[in-house]
Amino acid sequence: MKTRILIVDDELSMREFLAILLEREGYEVVVASNAEEALRQIGGSLFDLVISDVQMPGLSGIELLARIKQTTPDTAVLMVTAFTAAEQAVEAMKLGAYDYISKPFKNEEIKVLISKALEKQGLKRENTILRQEVAQRDGFCGIIGKSARMRELFDMIQKVAPSQSSVLILGESGTGKELAARAIHGCSPRKAKPFVAVNCGAIPESLIESELFGHKKGAFTGAVADRPGLFEQADGGTLFLDEIGELPLLLQTKLLRVLQEREFRRVGDAKVLKTDVRVLTASNRDLDEDIKSGGFREDLYYRINVVQIVMPPLRERIEDIPLLVEHFCRKLHPGGPTTVAPGALKALMNYPFPGNIRELENIVERSLILDSELIAEGSLPKQVTAGRAPCLSAEVVIPDEGMFLEPLLDDLEKRYLLKALEKTGGAKKKAAALLGMTFRSFRYRLAKLGMDNGEE
């Protein structure tokens, strides 16, 4: 497939000159006489490179550049002008232009510039594809994991997404139920329409009917204008009702009618409105027990539970913890790499995580606040490391005449520091990670014992 280049210039002679020059080089060339025409061309097909004049009637080349970077950020853009303007050059580079060339220019000069721009654009595209492949390998639609339990979950999502059936997502708090709902929506024919999420337990009982179905002006005190509800906002798309077990019984009855009849009324309005919404629900409660106790309608349960998806707790997919830690490190500290000490990772993988993924993210964030370069055992909360203090093999003996403890502890600490440095070839950051401590703490201990030479 030929490399496609779009030339944008209000001068016919320049368009023709560049088109002939580049077609001889084997490129597929399309021309546009202004920015508006260029945007129509870009909207209809993909280009590897856009060569645009800066000074044009209507939208300028700088404005065109900004629009291109908003819609197709991987497209390389080369700016051309008859004027040497440093300010324009700086502005163009800030907006993402590959480079800037002034007229008149030599043929070889622009050919080399185009070749380099396309080479860089190709690398960016390869990196994008690689990132997508990695993301697909280690997760699915924003859900991180590659364990057997998660692969089963991804397969289930792909199977149920194309249908219009209601899905009930069950799982403990913090397991990612909303992420699963978003993944179902993102893989469905409704993906171009809204995804609207609401936590039924977070809205006061007096307001939840208005929140779901909307209200007419004057329907109640404070209703100063007509207001559409979530069913209207999600029209054509997906409505996700999280913690459906918290919904009051009266609202359960009204929700059941909407699901059955596909119509509803705003609060205070006699007009019946039709709805085209796929409803996904979630709960961390045992709805079967709620049905037995009379807290949840059995007929609504069967209506929302056409397909059931169970989110596994983190303690049942511990092999995903290293992936999740890496993901949260990239998310929370995008500026640079973070090392995870082996002891810290082992502690995390041995911890049951009652708060699941949400708790893990909070723990990683806490550790990065203490030291963005290293997650060590010492930076983890006590409940994670409880019971993990290493035991020294030597028997503890205190002579009858007594002893001096400090020199003994200093000597022991010194031996461990030296052993760690020996194992890492003198690399202090790696030695610190090996001992489960921050680099700052490691340097402090070296200095205290007179062992710090100031090197990294």
Side-chain angles (χ1 to χ4, degrees):
M1 183 176 175
K2 281 187 175 182
T3 299
R4 304 187 76 238
I5 298 177
L6 174 63
I7 298 167
V8 191
D9 201 302
D10 58 323
E11 293 183 19
L12 176 61
S13 59
M14 180 56 68
R15 294 199 301 273
E16 291 178 342
F17 162 72
L18 286 174
I20 293 169
L21 178 69
L22 298 181
E23 283 172 350
R24 285 177 180 170
E25 294 295 312
Y27 300 120
E28 180 182 342
V29 179
V30 177
V31 297
S33 60
N34 54 58
E36 290 82 358
E37 184 183 348
L39 289 171
R40 286 193 293 273
Q41 293 280 5
I42 292 167
S45 57
L46 290 175
F47 291 92
D48 300 287
L49 173 67
V50 175
I51 303 173
S52 174
D53 191 15
V54 171
Q55 302 290 343
M56 294 185 292
L59 282 179
S60 69
I62 297 293
E63 291 170 312
L64 173 61
L65 167 64
R67 297 276 192 94
I68 292 171
K69 288 301 173 181
Q70 285 176 354
T71 55
T72 56
D74 284 344
T75 301
V77 182
L78 179 62
M79 307 303 295
V80 182
T81 183
F83 308 96
T84 304
E87 288 183 4
Q88 284 185 333
V90 170
E91 186 179 2
M93 300 302 283
K94 282 182 178 178
L95 287 171
Y98 170 73
D99 213 333
Y100 190 96
I101 190 170
S102 300
K103 302 174 187 177
F105 47 77
K106 296 178 182 179
N107 291 3
E108 289 304 314
E109 183 182 5
I110 195 166
K111 284 196 288 186
V112 169
L113 207 54
I114 288 169
S115 178
K116 288 182 177 179
L118 289 170
E119 182 181 357
K120 183 177 180 181
Q121 184 267 351
L123 288 172
K124 285 179 67 177
R125 186 164 292 176
E126 286 177 12
N127 287 337
T128 300
I129 293 170
L130 183 61
R131 284 196 300 271
Q132 290 171 346
E133 288 175 350
V134 170
Q136 186 65 31
R137 186 174 67 244
D138 294 342
F140 177 78
C141 291
I143 309 173
I144 305 299
K146 59 180 180 181
S147 61
R149 291 289 301 274
M150 297 308 289
R151 288 198 298 270
E152 290 173 8
L153 174 70
F154 301 155
D155 184 56
M156 186 69 167
I157 288 172
Q158 288 180 305
K159 286 178 179 176
V160 304
S163 75
Q164 300 301 317
S165 300
S166 298
V167 179
L168 173 61
I169 305 168
L170 299 175
E172 297 175 9
S173 179
T175 51
K177 296 186 288 295
E178 183 171 338
L179 283 177
R182 288 184 181 276
I184 292 169
H185 173 76
C187 294
S188 76
R190 296 174 178 265
K191 63 183 179 182
K193 296 294 184 177
F195 175 90
V196 178
V198 60
N199 187 323
C200 298
I203 303 171
E205 187 173 338
S206 59
L207 297 178
I208 194 163
E209 182 176 4
S210 171
E211 189 73 17
L212 290 175
F213 307 124
H215 61 250
K216 285 290 289 181
K217 179 180 178 181
F220 51 84
T221 303
V224 295
D226 289 356
R227 183 180 181 277
L230 297 178
F231 270 92
E232 288 176 80
Q233 294 174 36
D235 191 52
T238 302
L239 177 61
F240 174 55
L241 301 177
D242 198 5
E243 302 308 338
I244 186 71
E246 303 291 337
L247 202 64
L249 280 170
L250 178 61
L251 266 295
Q252 290 180 30
T253 303
K254 294 187 176 184
L255 176 61
L256 177 62
R257 175 175 172 77
V258 175
L259 295 178
Q260 289 174 335
E261 306 298 332
R262 295 291 170 182
E263 61 185 31
F264 64 95
R265 292 186 179 91
R266 288 181 179 179
V267 177
D269 193 1
K271 183 180 178 182
V272 175
L273 300 174
K274 295 289 184 181
T275 179
D276 173 26
V277 171
R278 184 183 189 180
V279 176
L280 307 178
T281 56
S283 180
N284 62 5
R285 295 169 56 148
D286 187 338
L287 294 181
D288 288 314
E289 287 299 318
D290 286 347
I291 291 170
K292 291 176 184 177
S293 65
F296 200 82
R297 291 185 59 111
E298 188 174 15
D299 47 4
L300 176 60
Y301 177 74
Y302 291 125
R303 176 65 64 175
I304 64 175
N305 192 28
V306 177
V307 179
Q308 186 177 112
I309 289 178
V310 179
M311 302 297 293
L314 190 52
R315 62 183 174 274
E316 294 180 8
R317 43 179 289 227
I318 59 174
E319 59 266 53
D320 290 328
I321 288 176
L323 271 180
L324 288 161
V325 171
E326 182 184 353
H327 167 72
F328 291 135
C329 285
R330 289 198 305 266
K331 173 185 173 183
L332 299 167
H333 181 52
T338 300
T339 303
V340 182
L345 188 58
K346 187 175 181 181
L348 289 169
M349 294 181 74
N350 286 335
Y351 181 62
F353 282 102
N356 292 292
I357 298 167
R358 189 179 295 123
E359 184 182 9
L360 175 60
E361 182 174 7
N362 290 342
I363 288 171
V364 172
E365 183 175 4
R366 175 188 186 275
S367 297
L368 293 176
I369 290 170
L370 298 176
D371 188 341
S372 62
E373 296 181 353
L374 172 69
I375 295 178
E377 262 189 284
S379 65
L380 298 177
K382 288 182 179 179
Q383 73 268 20
V384 177
T385 57
R388 285 189 41 78
C391 297
L392 298 176
S393 57
E395 184 183 355
V396 176
V397 178
I398 300 178
D400 294 338
E401 65 274 16
M403 60 182 290
F404 292 102
L405 182 61
E406 287 297 330
L408 178 64
L409 293 178
D410 286 346
D411 179 64
L412 185 62
E413 184 176 21
K414 185 174 182 178
R415 284 156 56 192
Y416 272 98
L417 294 174
L418 287 171
K419 192 65 178 178
L421 287 169
E422 180 187 330
K423 288 179 74 72
T424 60
K428 293 178 182 176
K429 286 185 179 180
K430 291 182 180 178
L434 199 61
L435 294 175
M437 64 177 66
T438 67
F439 179 58
R440 294 187 186 93
S441 178
F442 187 79
R443 286 286 298 270
Y444 168 77
R445 291 169 187 267
L446 288 177
K448 184 184 73 168
L449 296 169
M451 299 166 58
D452 189 9
N453 58 10
E455 297 177 357
E456 293 292 312

